[in-house]
Amino acid sequence: MSKFDSTLDLCFSALGDPTRRMILERLARSEATAGELAEPHNMALPSFMEHLKKLEAAGLITSEKKGRTRVCQLAPDAFSPAKNWLTEQSEIWEGRLDQFDDYITNLMKEKNK
């Protein structure tokens, strides 16, 4: 995955807000209406809907209009782009730390000769 992937940027931007993270935690349990999701948050519904739009634009949730109600749920594999990127970064840094450990070990061996 390219480190300049706009989908990844949208995902991390969406995850950067505590209100949106709380929405995702709630949706991890089950789908919910926009009204149910907004209930615990002290904000106007139009402001809350902007959070839902950002989550949907990032591919983290899906929503469907059922009559006058909007029902939201987590998107399948919602966190895969972020998880994959973090896994790649972890592997890179583990390799670098292993190389650094080898370097220090060799320095210590040379010093003790």
Side-chain angles (χ1 to χ4, degrees):
M1 179 175 291
S2 170
K3 63 181 174 181
F4 300 110
D5 185 349
S6 63
T7 304
L8 193 57
D9 293 344
L10 289 172
C11 181
F12 279 117
S13 177
L15 292 172
D17 183 87
T19 299
R20 291 190 286 271
R21 290 192 303 270
M22 288 176 64
I23 294 167
L24 293 170
E25 287 175 18
R26 168 56 184 84
L27 290 175
R29 294 193 305 269
S30 65
E31 69 179 29
T33 66
E36 291 169 337
L37 293 170
E39 191 175 307
H41 303 280
N42 187 22
M43 68 178 67
L45 190 57
S47 297
F48 184 79
M49 294 303 289
E50 288 301 315
H51 286 290
L52 294 182
K53 286 179 188 176
K54 190 153 191 175
L55 289 168
E56 198 159 10
L60 297 173
I61 69 169
T62 60
S63 69
E64 177 183 358
K65 190 104 172 172
K66 293 183 179 177
R68 293 177 40 176
T69 306
R70 180 158 299 279
V71 178
C72 302
Q73 62 185 11
L74 278 181
D77 299 319
F79 301 102
S80 291
K83 183 180 174 186
N84 292 341
W85 185 83
L86 290 168
T87 299
E88 289 173 10
Q89 296 307 305
S90 177
E91 290 170 358
I92 289 168
W93 282 100
E94 285 176 20
R96 289 178 180 173
L97 290 172
D98 287 345
Q99 290 174 344
F100 184 65
D101 185 49
D102 291 344
Y103 175 74
I104 296 297
T105 301
N106 287 335
L107 279 179
M108 296 304 290
K109 285 179 184 176
E110 290 295 319
K111 183 180 179 183
N112 292 331
K113 282 188 179 179

